Amino acid sequence: MTGALVAVWLASTVAMSARQAPASAQPPAPGVVMLVPSGEGLPDGPGKDVTVRSCGTCHEARRAASARLTRAGWAAVIDSMMGRGAIIAPDQVPVVLDYLSTHFLGEAAQPLNINTAPQIDFESGGGLLRREAAAVVRYREKYGRFKSVDDLRKVPGVDFRKIDARRSAFIVVL
């Protein structure tokens, strides 16, 4: 489950900052923190520079050092980050994926028990947006345990297609 939590953390950090401001841009508004890409703490190897440039403008790239995901897990994180606004050239995606899966390889994420999983796990392991994950938890707290994954169809504001596409990521333990 640790890999899933890290994936959520990585996903949430992208939402905090879209891109590094160009040198000619106006200074950020008071209270806005702009990150400068840094490869500090990352192992040297092919693709490090591309990974730092691709990931480090939105969050500290070295934080990836705490994540251990499978290659498929890293591919999902990259896809999620791009869906949230990260800009990675199509020809650089395999380079970043190779770097992350070579240096930060881990075990497959465990399936989420939809009756006990916290919101952050629905975001990372389930691929739901923050508001969708919150809606699932609120619904569960209000109406009680789910009897099947299909019960998630009842949750207002959740795109069930996402759940259906990742059905194997969810389990129900009553």
Side-chain angles (χ1 to χ4, degrees), residues 3-16 55 58-69 73-74 77-78 80-81 84 100 120 124 130:
L5 292 175
V6 172
V8 167
W9 169 81
L10 288 171
S12 67
T13 57
V14 168
M16 293 174 15
C55 304
C58 297
H59 55 82
E60 293 180 40
R62 68 188 169 123
R63 288 194 172 179
S66 64
R68 297 286 187 254
L69 301 175
W74 282 118
V77 167
I78 293 168
S80 175
M81 295 298 105
R84 295 170 189 257
L100 293 172
I120 196 164
S124 63
R130 184 172 294 156

Side-chain angles (χ1 to χ4, degrees), residues 12-91:
S12 67
T13 57
V14 168
M16 293 174 15
S17 173
R19 299 274 307 148
Q20 176 184 351
S24 63
Q26 295 286 351
V32 174
V33 176
M34 300 304 286
L35 295 175
V36 177
S38 168
E40 180 183 335
L42 294 179
D44 290 332
K48 176 181 177 179
D49 58 335
V50 174
T51 303
V52 170
R53 276 195 316 273
S54 299
C55 304
T57 57
C58 297
H59 55 82
E60 293 180 40
R62 68 188 169 123
R63 288 194 172 179
S66 64
R68 297 286 187 254
L69 301 175
T70 63
R71 186 172 181 83
W74 282 118
V77 167
I78 293 168
D79 186 53
S80 175
M81 295 298 105
M82 291 175 69
R84 295 170 189 257
I87 299 173
I88 305 174
D91 64 326

Side-chain angles (χ1 to χ4, degrees), residues 12 26 42-44 73 81 92 98 107 109 114 126 128 131 141 143 145 151 153 162 165-166:
S12 67
Q26 295 286 351
L42 294 179
D44 290 332
M81 295 298 105
Q92 293 179 338
D98 287 345
E107 298 178 10
I114 62 175
L128 300 181
R131 65 179 161 72
E141 289 171 353
Y143 297 104
R145 293 181 170 273
D151 285 348
R153 290 181 192 275
K162 292 178 185 177
R166 292 181 159 198

